Amino acid sequence: MPISQVGRRRPPPQAVDERASVGGLRAVATFEAVKGLIVLQLGLGILSLLHKDVEAAAESLLVHLHINPDRRLSHAFINAASRMTDARLWIIFSASVVYAGVRYTEAWGLWNRRVWAEWFALLCGALYLPWEIFKLLEVPNRLHLSVFLINIAIVLYILHIRIAAYRDLAREEAEAQGRKEPF
């Protein structure tokens, strides 16, 4: 550490991102909250199957959706439903509540322009990308393509925000030390 910096402390990290677009972050926050709401509604729907014949409900759902019950995936769906217990339904519901809680927490942080939420959104979005690419290559359809494109747009947008913040911070530090811009 240079002598001129001995005893000088860096300012604490910024908690609120004053540089990022409020509209952009709130759009991502809304998307994350909607994902949480959908999963929570699915969890509540699964919880409504407590003490009921889940296999019959699965067969009824396939008929309602006009899905051929002789298909391999239909058989797997009905087979999984036949092995469903009340304990497993509670576990699935609990997982949906946890997932929704994570999405709502992320949405709150992004809505309020918190830097930790930007990092969290970047991490979560990047973790989904390999699985989404695999699904897109395995079964290419509009749904998989849409999910992939939305997620990649969010990841690139948040990455752009974090890189811009890093560059601004480096520029401010360089100016404070009387140096030229680092980039």
Side-chain angles (χ1 to χ4, degrees):
M1 179 180 283
I3 296 198
S4 63
Q5 289 184 0
V6 172
R8 284 186 11 180
R9 296 183 141 204
R10 286 180 160 221
Q14 187 179 13
V16 177
D17 190 348
E18 299 291 341
R19 296 176 176 104
S21 162
V22 173
L25 287 177
R26 288 191 171 173
V28 176
T30 301
F31 180 72
E32 294 301 329
V34 167
K35 284 187 344 187
L37 180 63
I38 290 169
V39 170
L40 187 58
Q41 287 178 332
L42 289 171
L44 288 169
I46 286 179
L47 194 61
S48 72
L49 296 172
L50 276 175
H51 311 300
K52 294 185 181 166
D53 185 359
V54 180
E55 184 176 3
E59 290 172 354
S60 176
L61 179 64
L62 290 176
V63 168
H64 179 74
L65 295 175
H66 304 289
I67 296 175
N68 184 353
D70 293 331
R71 306 280 308 223
R72 185 174 62 112
L73 286 177
S74 298
H75 282 291
F77 181 65
I78 292 171
N79 186 31
S82 69
R83 292 179 288 140
M84 196 58 58
T85 64
D86 285 353
R88 287 183 180 166
L89 292 174
W90 276 109
I91 290 170
I92 293 170
F93 171 72
S94 299
S96 73
V97 169
V98 169
Y99 180 86
V102 169
R103 294 294 119 219
Y104 293 149
T105 302
E106 179 182 353
W108 181 91
L110 290 171
W111 189 270
N112 292 293
R113 299 166 48 193
R114 298 296 196 261
V115 172
W116 63 261
E118 293 172 359
W119 284 111
F120 189 71
L122 187 61
L123 175 67
C124 288
L127 287 174
Y128 286 132
L129 285 177
W131 184 77
E132 290 170 0
I133 291 169
F134 174 74
K135 291 305 287 179
L136 187 59
L137 293 174
E138 181 183 53
V139 183
N141 60 38
R142 289 184 183 174
L143 175 65
H144 292 152
L145 180 62
S146 298
V147 168
F148 173 73
L149 291 176
I150 290 169
N151 194 29
I152 197 79
I154 289 171
V155 168
L156 291 175
Y157 174 69
I158 299 293
L159 183 63
H160 167 73
I161 289 172
R162 295 311 323 142
I163 289 172
Y166 174 76
R167 285 185 175 168
D168 288 347
L169 180 63
R171 187 176 302 113
E172 289 170 6
E173 285 182 0
E175 289 171 0
Q177 294 175 0
R179 296 182 299 163
K180 290 188 174 189
E181 291 187 17
F183 304 109

